Amino acid sequence: MLAPQHLLGDFWTVSNPFIEDDGPQPPKVLKTPIEIVAVLRQLQQAHDPLIITFHERNQRFQSYLIEADRERSRLYLDEMIPSDGERYLLNGEAFRIEAYHEGVRVAWECQQSVQIVEHQEARCYLSPMPSEVHYHQRRNAYRAQLKQSEQVSIQLAGAKLSKPINGQMLDISATGCKLRMPGDVTQRLQSGQVYDRFSAQLPFGTMTTAVELRHTQYEEKLDMTFAGVRFHRMSGLVQRQVERFVYQLQREARRIEGDGLF
């Protein structure tokens, strides 16, 4: 969820909530240890998935940041999924890590060797703290949260899935949305993959478009999979449907906020 000051900034325009006053912010390169650790600990605390890619290899792997140890200048990373990426680590291959936290892209390179260690009674990877981290706020669009009473059913389908996956929409913006799906479906989904049939039952009709899967996360206690998707090559009709729905949610949020002032 966006911080209150970001929400207030998004509410300035009523006629079109998707106008970006200055466009996306330029990427920043963080180089001081205090900045780097602060950003990495956000990924750790939010349990944001890390996407690992090895140079000159197409496969993508998922991991999580277990701990950012500033004193010893090192990171503890969870075991990779799929696990066959571990052999690339043992070969000493350089890799890149990319993650998204509340619309901010965080990325860094690891050129040094990684060790396999035990930490907090779990097997993990010990990596040097990055000397610089790329930090890029790219999402300027207002992100509208859906209440329980506003639940929107969704279905993810297409040629890349053997059978459709059903679920609910948790929030939506002009560029994408967050989903919740029952059970553990992470093995059926791949970050970065485009799924050509995503449909959502909006209050005024069904919206259908392709989406790119940004990340997935399975919560065992809830037995739910959470996913972030980005709308892919939307038609003009779909874009108008999305804008209309987000604007309705934004107006309702503003009305409730206004009621709360009195």
Side-chain angles (χ1 to χ4, degrees):
M1 185 174 179
L2 291 177
Q5 62 267 31
H6 291 154
L7 291 177
L8 290 175
D10 287 317
F11 283 143
W12 75 273
T13 175
V14 176
S15 60
N16 187 343
F18 307 105
I19 293 175
E20 298 177 354
D21 42 356
D22 295 318
Q25 298 176 18
K28 301 176 183 177
V29 179
L30 309 180
K31 294 187 177 183
T32 66
I34 191 168
E35 287 180 314
I36 291 172
V37 170
V39 168
L40 295 182
R41 284 182 177 163
Q42 287 181 340
L43 300 179
Q44 174 191 342
Q45 291 163 6
H47 203 58
D48 293 317
L50 310 180
I51 303 302
I52 296 177
T53 52
F54 291 87
H55 296 182
E56 300 180 4
R57 296 187 185 275
N58 295 326
Q59 194 172 2
R60 298 156 67 96
F61 302 90
Q62 183 171 292
S63 180
Y64 293 92
L65 180 58
I66 297 173
E67 184 181 339
D69 186 342
R70 184 183 172 190
E71 291 182 3
R72 295 183 176 90
S73 192
R74 58 191 187 182
L75 306 178
Y76 293 93
L77 305 174
D78 201 359
E79 292 184 280
M80 279 190 292
I81 304 171
S83 60
D84 56 348
E86 191 170 290
R87 68 176 183 269
Y88 304 141
L89 284 182
L90 296 176
N91 288 341
E93 295 187 26
F95 59 91
R96 181 177 184 81
I97 295 180
E98 182 179 49
Y100 289 84
H101 179 74
E102 296 184 350
V104 177
R105 177 181 176 271
V106 180
W108 67 96
E109 300 269 353
C110 184
Q111 305 283 350
Q112 299 167 273
S113 60
V114 172
Q115 301 173 24
I116 298 176
V117 298
E118 293 280 333
H119 182 64
Q120 299 174 353
E121 300 182 355
R123 192 171 182 274
C124 62
Y125 311 129
L126 181 62
S127 165
M129 183 77 70
S131 58
E132 61 180 41
V133 168
H134 293 258
Y135 181 93
H136 191 187
Q137 170 71 55
R138 301 194 297 180
R139 191 184 73 208
N140 290 60
Y142 173 72
R143 182 166 290 266
Q145 308 290 321
L146 276 73
K147 300 192 295 288
Q148 283 289 114
S149 58
E150 300 168 335
Q151 292 230 326
V152 168
S153 296
I154 64 91
Q155 184 177 85
L156 196 58
K160 300 295 183 180
L161 289 170
S162 57
K163 61 179 181 179
I165 300 174
N166 297 309
Q168 289 81 40
M169 183 184 293
L170 298 180
D171 68 28
I172 184 171
S173 76
T175 57
C177 58
K178 185 175 181 180
L179 313 175
R180 178 183 64 201
M181 296 161 283
D184 184 358
V185 296
T186 54
Q187 298 302 312
R188 299 178 57 194
L189 299 170
Q190 182 180 352
S191 297
Q193 181 65 60
V194 173
Y195 296 93
D196 52 9
R197 290 206 303 277
F198 169 81
S199 58
Q201 305 300 318
L202 303 183
F204 44 80
T206 303
M207 177 196 86
T208 304
T209 188
V211 293
E212 178 189 354
L213 184 69
R214 305 300 295 179
H215 59 80
T216 58
Q217 178 180 339
Y218 174 63
E219 292 290 348
E220 188 174 357
K221 291 181 180 178
L222 302 173
D223 192 27
M224 291 279 183
T225 298
F226 296 86
V229 299
R230 185 176 182 86
F231 301 133
H232 185 74
R233 296 180 180 174
M234 284 189 293
S235 67
L237 172 62
V238 170
Q239 189 170 1
R240 288 191 294 273
Q241 287 179 307
V242 171
E243 291 181 359
R244 177 183 174 186
F245 186 44
V246 177
Y247 184 52
Q248 285 183 2
L249 294 172
Q250 183 187 24
R251 288 187 64 183
E252 179 64 14
R254 292 182 68 191
R255 185 189 65 78
I256 293 172
E257 184 179 85
D259 290 346
L261 296 176
F262 302 98

